[in-house]
Amino acid sequence: MRANIRPSIGLALSGGAARGLAHIGVLRALEENQIPIDFVAGSSAGAIVGGAYAAGMSVDEIEAMARRLRWRHVGRMTISRLGFQTNKRLETFVRDRLPKKRFEELSIPFAVLATDLITGDAVVMKDKGDVAFAIRASCTIPGLYVPVSDDQGRHLVDGGLVAVIPSTIARGLGADIVIAVDVNSAGATFFGASLRSIFGVLLQSMLLIQKSVSHHQLSSSDFVISPQVGHIRWDQLRRCEQLIAAGYEAGAQCAPAIQALIEKKSLELSLESLEVAKIS
């Protein structure tokens, strides 16, 4: 009897600003439960964590990077009619820390999602090019940050506008099983805190848009991990430890069900292989 064929596993990491730090805890839980990751797709904040992981950084290294990250490392004020700030600093912050800088060099196939501001089309960056630039483009919140221009002259902004959870992108990379991590599922349970600043208003507005477009992506996933971080605002980077802990808890709770799903899919693939062998 042939050994079971292991299905390939793709991870789709959602956007969510500071809440995206919960992805780090999920990664730690998956690693501890020996759940392999063959492909990664990231949108907005998920692109930062996903890119670091795909570049070969350990979970400990990613967590150390996240603990140092502050909004001053992301953007600075600029004189522009297209946004209050430029997020060029984020590109520099990421590039200085990634052990592998280009898509061609990555340890795990990785895709980053951005949005063409003019056409509204999804722009998927993968296979070749500068990873830090792609991450920056995916994290460019429209209105707050000046749109990023690529070598094709496109004006790129936050990938969450078209798919806050890039499940179909992960599937397109070749994954048999797609695990989505949705850090926005709990909504906002803090009272009125999201509307205390322009940044909060923009993020809350984007969340409402993203909720309406996320249903297809969720339905395209085989499993969804939902860290319970609704009590934490999207701008609270300093709550890194709590966000990572929430991600770890959600990932650990879901691990047995994911392992069962992998075993089921492995059996299905093995049976399909046997059928093909019989026919041939």
Side-chain angles (χ1 to χ4, degrees), residues 118-145:
I118 303 303
T119 66
D121 294 334
V123 176
V124 180
M125 291 166 278
K126 59 177 184 174
D127 299 332
K128 62 180 181 178
D130 183 22
V131 176
F133 173 84
I135 291 172
R136 173 192 174 191
S138 187
C139 295
T140 302
I141 300 169
L144 179 62
Y145 298 124

Side-chain angles (χ1 to χ4, degrees), residues 42-230:
S43 182
S44 195
I48 300 175
V49 176
Y53 193 69
M57 292 179 69
S58 69
V59 175
D60 284 341
E61 289 172 329
I62 300 172
E63 180 172 341
M65 178 180 73
R67 289 182 180 277
R68 290 192 295 270
L69 181 62
R70 295 292 182 267
W71 289 113
R72 66 177 180 273
H73 299 132
V74 177
R76 64 175 177 80
M77 297 299 294
T78 186
I79 301 174
S80 174
R81 293 177 295 178
L82 302 180
F84 293 109
Q85 296 187 359
T86 170
N87 63 347
K88 176 67 176 177
R89 284 183 175 178
L90 174 62
E91 182 178 340
T92 301
F93 181 89
V94 171
R95 184 177 290 110
D96 287 347
R97 288 159 177 79
L98 292 183
K100 298 176 181 179
K101 318 293 185 184
R102 297 186 61 81
F103 283 96
E104 303 95 306
E105 304 168 347
L106 298 180
S107 304
I108 299 174
F110 175 55
V112 178
L113 181 64
T115 304
D116 186 323
L117 184 60
I118 303 303
T119 66
D121 294 334
V123 176
V124 180
M125 291 166 278
K126 59 177 184 174
D127 299 332
K128 62 180 181 178
D130 183 22
V131 176
F133 173 84
I135 291 172
R136 173 192 174 191
S138 187
C139 295
T140 302
I141 300 169
L144 179 62
Y145 298 124
V146 177
V148 177
S149 297
D150 68 2
D151 56 7
Q152 299 180 42
R154 294 176 296 190
H155 299 289
L156 305 181
V157 292
D158 199 296
L161 290 178
V162 287
V164 67
I165 308 165
S167 299
T168 56
I169 308 303
R171 184 81 66 190
L173 289 173
D176 295 312
I177 293 175
V178 173
I179 301 170
V181 184
D182 182 6
V183 299
N184 299 306
S185 63
T189 58
F190 46 86
F191 180 73
S194 63
L195 304 181
R196 290 179 180 171
S197 67
I198 291 175
F199 187 54
V201 170
L202 287 169
L203 286 173
Q204 177 70 357
S205 300
M206 284 191 65
L207 176 65
L208 296 176
I209 296 171
Q210 291 167 352
K211 285 180 68 175
S212 68
V213 300
S214 64
H215 299 295
H216 172 64
Q217 296 293 330
L218 288 172
S219 65
S220 299
S221 309
D222 297 291
F223 200 94
V224 181
I225 300 175
S226 301
Q228 296 304 294
V229 292

